[in-house]
mmCIF file with all atom_site columns, all heavy atoms in Angstrom:
data_model
loop_
_atom_site.group_PDB
_atom_site.id
_atom_site.type_symbol
_atom_site.label_atom_id
_atom_site.label_alt_id
_atom_site.label_comp_id
_atom_site.label_asym_id
_atom_site.label_entity_id
_atom_site.label_seq_id
_atom_site.pdbx_PDB_ins_code
_atom_site.Cartn_x
_atom_site.Cartn_y
_atom_site.Cartn_z
_atom_site.occupancy
_atom_site.B_iso_or_equiv
_atom_site.pdbx_formal_charge
_atom_site.auth_seq_id
_atom_site.auth_comp_id
_atom_site.auth_asym_id
_atom_site.auth_atom_id
_atom_site.pdbx_PDB_model_num
ATOM 1  N N   . ALA A 1 36  ? 49.924 -30.146 -21.982 1.00 0.00 ? 1298 ALA A N   1
ATOM 2  C CA  . ALA A 1 36  ? 49.865 -30.178 -23.447 1.00 0.00 ? 1298 ALA A CA  1
ATOM 3  C C   . ALA A 1 36  ? 51.144 -29.643 -24.089 1.00 0.00 ? 1298 ALA A C   1
ATOM 4  O O   . ALA A 1 36  ? 51.280 -29.638 -25.303 1.00 0.00 ? 1298 ALA A O   1
ATOM 5  C CB  . ALA A 1 36  ? 48.651 -29.382 -23.933 1.00 0.00 ? 1298 ALA A CB  1
ATOM 6  N N   . ALA A 1 290 ? 41.574 -27.133 -23.341 1.00 0.00 ? 1552 ALA A N   1
ATOM 7  C CA  . ALA A 1 290 ? 42.752 -26.386 -23.815 1.00 0.00 ? 1552 ALA A CA  1
ATOM 8  C C   . ALA A 1 290 ? 43.669 -27.297 -24.627 1.00 0.00 ? 1552 ALA A C   1
ATOM 9  O O   . ALA A 1 290 ? 44.285 -26.863 -25.612 1.00 0.00 ? 1552 ALA A O   1
ATOM 10 C CB  . ALA A 1 290 ? 43.499 -25.799 -22.615 1.00 0.00 ? 1552 ALA A CB  1
ATOM 11 N N   . ALA A 1 291 ? 43.745 -28.574 -24.241 1.00 0.00 ? 1553 ALA A N   1
ATOM 12 C CA  . ALA A 1 291 ? 44.642 -29.502 -24.941 1.00 0.00 ? 1553 ALA A CA  1
ATOM 13 C C   . ALA A 1 291 ? 44.250 -29.644 -26.416 1.00 0.00 ? 1553 ALA A C   1
ATOM 14 O O   . ALA A 1 291 ? 45.123 -29.813 -27.278 1.00 0.00 ? 1553 ALA A O   1
ATOM 15 C CB  . ALA A 1 291 ? 44.623 -30.873 -24.264 1.00 0.00 ? 1553 ALA A CB  1
ATOM 16 N N   . ASP A 1 292 ? 42.954 -29.580 -26.712 1.00 0.00 ? 1554 ASP A N   1
ATOM 17 C CA  . ASP A 1 292 ? 42.520 -29.712 -28.113 1.00 0.00 ? 1554 ASP A CA  1
ATOM 18 C C   . ASP A 1 292 ? 43.027 -28.523 -28.934 1.00 0.00 ? 1554 ASP A C   1
ATOM 19 O O   . ASP A 1 292 ? 43.500 -28.677 -30.062 1.00 0.00 ? 1554 ASP A O   1
ATOM 20 C CB  . ASP A 1 292 ? 40.986 -29.755 -28.214 1.00 0.00 ? 1554 ASP A CB  1
ATOM 21 C CG  . ASP A 1 292 ? 40.427 -31.067 -27.705 1.00 0.00 ? 1554 ASP A CG  1
ATOM 22 O OD1 . ASP A 1 292 ? 41.230 -31.918 -27.257 1.00 0.00 ? 1554 ASP A OD1 1
ATOM 23 O OD2 . ASP A 1 292 ? 39.190 -31.231 -27.726 1.00 0.00 ? 1554 ASP A OD2 1
ATOM 24 N N   . TYR A 1 293 ? 42.902 -27.323 -28.350 1.00 0.00 ? 1555 TYR A N   1
ATOM 25 C CA  . TYR A 1 293 ? 43.383 -26.135 -29.066 1.00 0.00 ? 1555 TYR A CA  1
ATOM 26 C C   . TYR A 1 293 ? 44.906 -26.233 -29.263 1.00 0.00 ? 1555 TYR A C   1
ATOM 27 O O   . TYR A 1 293 ? 45.428 -25.936 -30.340 1.00 0.00 ? 1555 TYR A O   1
ATOM 28 C CB  . TYR A 1 293 ? 42.998 -24.862 -28.297 1.00 0.00 ? 1555 TYR A CB  1
ATOM 29 C CG  . TYR A 1 293 ? 43.708 -23.624 -28.814 1.00 0.00 ? 1555 TYR A CG  1
ATOM 30 C CD1 . TYR A 1 293 ? 43.397 -23.092 -30.063 1.00 0.00 ? 1555 TYR A CD1 1
ATOM 31 C CD2 . TYR A 1 293 ? 44.734 -23.033 -28.071 1.00 0.00 ? 1555 TYR A CD2 1
ATOM 32 C CE1 . TYR A 1 293 ? 44.079 -21.989 -30.556 1.00 0.00 ? 1555 TYR A CE1 1
ATOM 33 C CE2 . TYR A 1 293 ? 45.413 -21.928 -28.554 1.00 0.00 ? 1555 TYR A CE2 1
ATOM 34 C CZ  . TYR A 1 293 ? 45.082 -21.417 -29.788 1.00 0.00 ? 1555 TYR A CZ  1
ATOM 35 O OH  . TYR A 1 293 ? 45.779 -20.328 -30.281 1.00 0.00 ? 1555 TYR A OH  1
ATOM 36 N N   . ILE A 1 294 ? 45.620 -26.688 -28.227 1.00 0.00 ? 1556 ILE A N   1
ATOM 37 C CA  . ILE A 1 294 ? 47.090 -26.769 -28.327 1.00 0.00 ? 1556 ILE A CA  1
ATOM 38 C C   . ILE A 1 294 ? 47.484 -27.849 -29.350 1.00 0.00 ? 1556 ILE A C   1
ATOM 39 O O   . ILE A 1 294 ? 48.452 -27.671 -30.105 1.00 0.00 ? 1556 ILE A O   1
ATOM 40 C CB  . ILE A 1 294 ? 47.721 -26.984 -26.931 1.00 0.00 ? 1556 ILE A CB  1
ATOM 41 C CG1 . ILE A 1 294 ? 47.433 -25.759 -26.049 1.00 0.00 ? 1556 ILE A CG1 1
ATOM 42 C CG2 . ILE A 1 294 ? 49.232 -27.221 -27.032 1.00 0.00 ? 1556 ILE A CG2 1
ATOM 43 C CD1 . ILE A 1 294 ? 47.725 -25.936 -24.564 1.00 0.00 ? 1556 ILE A CD1 1
ATOM 44 N N   . ASP A 1 295 ? 46.720 -28.941 -29.405 1.00 0.00 ? 1557 ASP A N   1
ATOM 45 C CA  . ASP A 1 295 ? 46.985 -29.967 -30.439 1.00 0.00 ? 1557 ASP A CA  1
ATOM 46 C C   . ASP A 1 295 ? 46.856 -29.351 -31.838 1.00 0.00 ? 1557 ASP A C   1
ATOM 47 O O   . ASP A 1 295 ? 47.683 -29.566 -32.707 1.00 0.00 ? 1557 ASP A O   1
ATOM 48 C CB  . ASP A 1 295 ? 45.970 -31.125 -30.340 1.00 0.00 ? 1557 ASP A CB  1
ATOM 49 C CG  . ASP A 1 295 ? 46.272 -32.055 -29.185 1.00 0.00 ? 1557 ASP A CG  1
ATOM 50 O OD1 . ASP A 1 295 ? 47.372 -31.952 -28.588 1.00 0.00 ? 1557 ASP A OD1 1
ATOM 51 O OD2 . ASP A 1 295 ? 45.394 -32.884 -28.861 1.00 0.00 ? 1557 ASP A OD2 1
ATOM 52 N N   . TRP A 1 296 ? 45.773 -28.588 -32.017 1.00 0.00 ? 1558 TRP A N   1
ATOM 53 C CA  . TRP A 1 296 ? 45.563 -27.948 -33.323 1.00 0.00 ? 1558 TRP A CA  1
ATOM 54 C C   . TRP A 1 296 ? 46.697 -26.953 -33.630 1.00 0.00 ? 1558 TRP A C   1
ATOM 55 O O   . TRP A 1 296 ? 47.209 -26.887 -34.751 1.00 0.00 ? 1558 TRP A O   1
ATOM 56 C CB  . TRP A 1 296 ? 44.198 -27.235 -33.359 1.00 0.00 ? 1558 TRP A CB  1
ATOM 57 C CG  . TRP A 1 296 ? 44.053 -26.419 -34.603 1.00 0.00 ? 1558 TRP A CG  1
ATOM 58 C CD1 . TRP A 1 296 ? 43.745 -26.879 -35.851 1.00 0.00 ? 1558 TRP A CD1 1
ATOM 59 C CD2 . TRP A 1 296 ? 44.303 -25.010 -34.740 1.00 0.00 ? 1558 TRP A CD2 1
ATOM 60 N NE1 . TRP A 1 296 ? 43.776 -25.833 -36.758 1.00 0.00 ? 1558 TRP A NE1 1
ATOM 61 C CE2 . TRP A 1 296 ? 44.114 -24.678 -36.091 1.00 0.00 ? 1558 TRP A CE2 1
ATOM 62 C CE3 . TRP A 1 296 ? 44.662 -24.000 -33.843 1.00 0.00 ? 1558 TRP A CE3 1
ATOM 63 C CZ2 . TRP A 1 296 ? 44.266 -23.379 -36.579 1.00 0.00 ? 1558 TRP A CZ2 1
ATOM 64 C CZ3 . TRP A 1 296 ? 44.825 -22.706 -34.328 1.00 0.00 ? 1558 TRP A CZ3 1
ATOM 65 C CH2 . TRP A 1 296 ? 44.620 -22.404 -35.671 1.00 0.00 ? 1558 TRP A CH2 1
ATOM 66 N N   . LEU A 1 297 ? 47.098 -26.195 -32.591 1.00 0.00 ? 1559 LEU A N   1
ATOM 67 C CA  . LEU A 1 297 ? 48.175 -25.209 -32.753 1.00 0.00 ? 1559 LEU A CA  1
ATOM 68 C C   . LEU A 1 297 ? 49.462 -25.921 -33.212 1.00 0.00 ? 1559 LEU A C   1
ATOM 69 O O   . LEU A 1 297 ? 50.160 -25.438 -34.114 1.00 0.00 ? 1559 LEU A O   1
ATOM 70 C CB  . LEU A 1 297 ? 48.400 -24.535 -31.395 1.00 0.00 ? 1559 LEU A CB  1
ATOM 71 C CG  . LEU A 1 297 ? 49.077 -23.185 -31.321 1.00 0.00 ? 1559 LEU A CG  1
ATOM 72 C CD1 . LEU A 1 297 ? 48.271 -22.114 -32.042 1.00 0.00 ? 1559 LEU A CD1 1
ATOM 73 C CD2 . LEU A 1 297 ? 49.259 -22.769 -29.850 1.00 0.00 ? 1559 LEU A CD2 1
ATOM 74 N N   . ALA A 1 298 ? 49.725 -27.080 -32.599 1.00 0.00 ? 1560 ALA A N   1
ATOM 75 C CA  . ALA A 1 298 ? 50.939 -27.836 -32.949 1.00 0.00 ? 1560 ALA A CA  1
ATOM 76 C C   . ALA A 1 298 ? 50.877 -28.321 -34.399 1.00 0.00 ? 1560 ALA A C   1
ATOM 77 O O   . ALA A 1 298 ? 51.869 -28.257 -35.139 1.00 0.00 ? 1560 ALA A O   1
ATOM 78 C CB  . ALA A 1 298 ? 51.100 -29.010 -31.992 1.00 0.00 ? 1560 ALA A CB  1
#
Side-chain angles (χ1 to χ4, degrees):
D1554 288 1
Y1555 168 70
I1556 296 167
D1557 284 348
W1558 172 78
L1559 201 62

